[in-house]
Amino acid sequence: MTDAPPSTLFADQSAYAEAVQLALDAAAAYYGDGTSTLDDDAYDRLVRGIQAYEAEHPDEVLPSSPTGKVAGGAVVGDVPHTVPMLSLDNVFSAEKLVDWAASLERRLGRPVTRWSVEPKLDGLAIAARYRGGRLVQLVTRGDGTKGEDVSHAIGTIVGLPARLAEPVTVELRGEVMMTVSQFEDACVKRRAHDGTTFANPRSAAAGTLRAQDRSYVCELTFFGYGALPAPDDISEQAARLRVLPHSEVMAWVAGQSVQTTDATPVTGIVAETLEQVQERVEQIATLRPKLPFGIDGIVIKCDLAADQAQAGFSSRAPRWAIAYKLPATEKITKLLGVEWNVGRSGIIAPRAVLEPVDLEGSKITYATLHNVADITRRGLMLGDSVVVYKAGDVIPRVEAPVVHLRTGDERPIPIPRVCPLCGDEIDASQERWRCVRGRACRVIASIGYAAGRDQLDIEGLAENRIRQMLDAGLIADFADLFFLTREQVLGLERMGETSTDNLLAAIERAKAQPLSRVFCALGVRGTGRSMSRRIARHFGSMDAIRAADAEAIEAVEGLGPKKAPGVVAELVELTGLIDKLIRAGVNMTQPGWTPPAAPDTDAKADTDTNAGPEPGDASELPLAGMSVVVTGSMSGALEALTRNQMNELIERAGGKSSSSVSKKTSLLVAGENAGSKRAKAETLGVRIVGPEEFAGLVGELL
Ligand code: IVH
């Protein structure tokens, strides 16, 4: 690693602005919750690059630069704000939110009865000045009292119209950011232009907002969160805006054709109690991974103008609002290597090997890289500092390299020319590369998976045994196992009478496995253990699953329009295998399945109704209607159960198994070493039981 930053850093003002944003975010995370996004060395390199640029361009120094070198008369950030653009104080937990609200209510001398709850948009604050309904100036936050004129960006920001619906004079405040798709487009444009990319949507937005001399234009998005009449505006309109509740101001803003979060699934709401506030916080946190733009928390404000006016401001922030910060979903770490794995269906998938990094409560060592096109699109190199993203239950993924942190030691990622597993050719006609042998390439792994403990549970079928059978031509897929004769198995090397009989008995027992496990054994992409249980409970029989078209498959919770057509297509591919299983006498129904209640009856047409071991009254089952989460290691009677078997048990007992704790969770089964899920359940007041108590609850269903 060289000491001085490479001279290619920060080609222009926008690249400099991006680097400043990355450094500011790293410092804010470090001083906020102590989880820096950058290691010390990377941070120092970034700041050295910033210093080098500032030395050459003293007139472009940003007021917010971490070098603190802004000169007295810096030309940027010279537009005074009519009302200071302040920051928000933060809380990181439900308890701290309660403490903050209590101190605010003490200050007001009365309870707050209307709270406005909205997402905290992860972009950059901007003031959009409208005169007579026309957008005349855009000013960044700058140092809060003075900002930079970025009016050149007018016309490139979705959600910020050139004209309002009414000819009013007003300053709209809100966040400028890049949506996921705008970020993708921007990365493609920049790659085509100079072969590099943006680190993340926030720094991309920061750079883009200042870019004046780029030969390509990147689109931005605006979401408004406030409206200010000029302090000297004595019009009726201005007077009205000053006294309206915040929620009504926002409705007025939306009525002016300006985008607000009203147009999104995380629309602002008004809550009357802190419990309702907390409920909305949970909802927004759950929705976060699926949003088409980044949020980093939830902003809670007094909705009533009178409450806001009385609470006032501290030097940094309003006392009437607070940011409830959500855990970071991104970290920067090193890309150490790329592994190429061949999936059960022959798909060749690259996986990033990372310098381990803590994110969302877990240590991340691997992250998905999707496919080769994705690697090229992002311009990744070995040794790159990369942004890794993980939120909720999503698989961690590598977003982009941080080009500003390159040292010159990065190397291209070797791309395989032949299938890394069997050496045959690669079918590269689609974005997802595939071994030309398809499923046959992974036949050993596919059969091993089908025989696994959570699928058909055929004990004694180790990988070497499967290989022997394949080599001897006894089997070609896992359905052939059911046609093996005693003589054939006995004829294999190192196969005695007892082990032969044991293996054949295990295969015989496998015929009676529930449909959920038989379906899971097929290895259809996107249908792991819990999804297979959902599918089996939804349809009840293999016949019904095979008869379903994509629309019918979509009705299964968690299988949206993106995944459903793939499931249908794979089932068609698997026709021969499924028919063979049927001929072998393998069970093709879900025990205890009853057809879903007709929509016009009172019974809830919920999948839970089909979860019981006996047809009929599922409501009498011990976990009927309960949503149950398991965490930590099980002990006692539950010790030998895999997580899948625990989930099956919950569903047999009438409950619904889930992997994350929320307000809707009815019960948490917490074993040894239970971590963040237990803490969250405690905060939410969810009932917590240990493995023994749970075993008692489910009784004989165990
Ligand atoms: S209200 C006086 N509402 O968060 C400050 N800010 O950390 C009032 N932000 O600079 C700001 N979403 O850029 C408000 N719904 C929202 C917000 C929001 C994001 C940003 C804003 C502010 C920063 C403070």
Side-chain angles (χ1 to χ4, degrees), residues 86-88 118-121 124-125 141 175 225 299 301 318:
L86 298 178
S87 177
L88 287 169
E118 30 185 75
K120 185 169 186 307
L121 303 152
L124 306 126
R141 177 169 170 226
E175 207 79 348
Y225 53 65
V299 183
K301 303 173 181 171

Side-chain angles (χ1 to χ4, degrees), residues 84-90 118-126 141 173-176 223-226 246 261 296-299 301 313 316-318 320-321 323 325:
M85 286 185 89
L86 298 178
S87 177
L88 287 169
D89 287 332
N90 295 324
E118 30 185 75
K120 185 169 186 307
L121 303 152
D122 193 8
L124 306 126
I126 202 157
R141 177 169 170 226
R173 291 198 172 170
E175 207 79 348
V176 167
F223 285 105
Y225 53 65
H246 173 71
T261 53
D296 60 342
I298 292 100
V299 183
K301 303 173 181 171
F313 297 84
R316 285 181 324 273
W320 43 264
K325 292 291 284 255

Side-chain angles (χ1 to χ4, degrees), residues 119-436:
K120 185 169 186 307
L121 303 152
D122 193 8
L124 306 126
I126 202 157
R129 295 180 174 170
Y130 284 89
R131 200 173 307 132
R134 248 177 213 282
L135 180 54
V136 290
Q137 194 177 31
L138 286 183
V139 187
T140 64
R141 177 169 170 226
D143 65 0
T145 53
K146 281 190 210 148
E148 184 187 346
D149 189 316
V150 285
S151 304
H152 57 263
I154 292 177
T156 63
I157 307 178
V158 173
L160 199 58
R163 262 178 185 284
L164 297 180
E166 294 167 41
V168 284
T169 295
V170 68
E171 180 170 309
L172 298 183
R173 291 198 172 170
E175 207 79 348
V176 167
M177 50 207 294
M178 274 194 191
T179 62
V180 173
S181 71
Q182 284 171 338
F183 176 63
E184 293 285 330
D185 287 351
C187 289
V188 169
K189 281 182 183 157
R190 190 183 227 189
R191 271 206 72 66
H193 181 258
D194 64 9
T196 63
T197 188
F198 294 107
N200 62 21
R202 191 168 140 90
S203 64
T208 299
L209 198 56
R210 290 188 178 84
Q212 295 203 53
D213 43 13
R214 268 195 206 148
S215 59
Y216 56 101
V217 176
C218 298
E219 200 180 76
L220 295 162
T221 288
F222 175 84
F223 285 105
Y225 53 65
L228 295 174
D232 57 354
D233 187 344
I234 49 159
S235 67
E236 221 174 276
Q237 168 88 291
R240 224 184 92 214
L241 275 180
R242 288 191 191 105
V243 296
L244 276 184
H246 173 71
S247 51
E248 289 176 37
V249 172
M250 292 320 297
W252 177 84
V253 171
Q256 295 301 321
S257 334
V258 172
Q259 183 163 251
T260 67
T261 53
D262 233 16
T264 75
V266 284
T267 173
I269 61 143
V270 175
E272 287 171 5
T273 63
L274 276 187
E275 285 71 36
Q276 288 170 5
V277 170
Q278 184 59 32
E279 200 170 317
R280 186 61 182 161
V281 166
E282 292 288 327
Q283 283 168 356
I284 294 178
T286 310
L287 290 166
R288 181 193 197 187
K290 294 175 201 96
L291 291 176
F293 50 83
I295 64 169
D296 60 342
I298 292 100
V299 183
I300 297 125
K301 303 173 181 171
C302 289
D303 193 46
L304 297 179
D307 286 351
Q308 290 193 5
Q310 193 183 333
F313 297 84
S314 72
S315 56
R316 285 181 324 273
R319 291 204 184 89
W320 43 264
I322 195 90
Y324 188 131
K325 292 291 284 255
L326 293 173
T329 49
E330 276 188 3
K331 279 276 175 73
I332 294 172
T333 188
K334 277 270 159 61
L335 176 64
L336 301 177
V338 175
E339 288 179 357
W340 298 87
N341 298 316
V342 184
R344 286 193 299 280
S345 54
I347 297 279
I348 300 169
R351 181 167 83 149
V353 184
L354 305 168
E355 206 167 85
V357 63
D358 283 322
L359 198 48
E360 275 261 301
S362 45
K363 198 172 250 354
I364 313 288
T365 322
Y366 298 103
T368 181
L369 280 171
H370 303 290
N371 51 53
V372 174
D374 206 60
I375 292 178
T376 327
R377 210 165 23 231
R378 295 177 199 277
L380 286 169
M381 297 179 82
L382 290 182
D384 257 336
S385 294
V386 290
V387 178
V388 180
Y389 174 91
K390 168 156 176 37
D393 290 336
V394 305
I395 300 168
R397 61 172 189 257
V398 171
E399 286 281 30
V402 186
V403 180
H404 302 316
L405 289 175
R406 286 206 168 139
T407 61
D409 293 338
E410 296 75 20
R411 297 173 315 284
I413 295 172
I415 307 289
R417 310 239 160 263
V418 292
C419 171
L421 195 66
C422 71
D424 213 324
E425 278 173 43
I426 293 175
D427 170 5
S429 60
Q430 308 213 348
E431 271 216 342
R432 289 159 73 102
W433 286 9
R434 205 170 170 167
C435 170
V436 286

Side-chain angles (χ1 to χ4, degrees), residues 23 61 380 405 448 456 501 519 655 670:
V61 176
L380 286 169
L405 289 175
L456 297 176
D501 290 340
F519 185 86

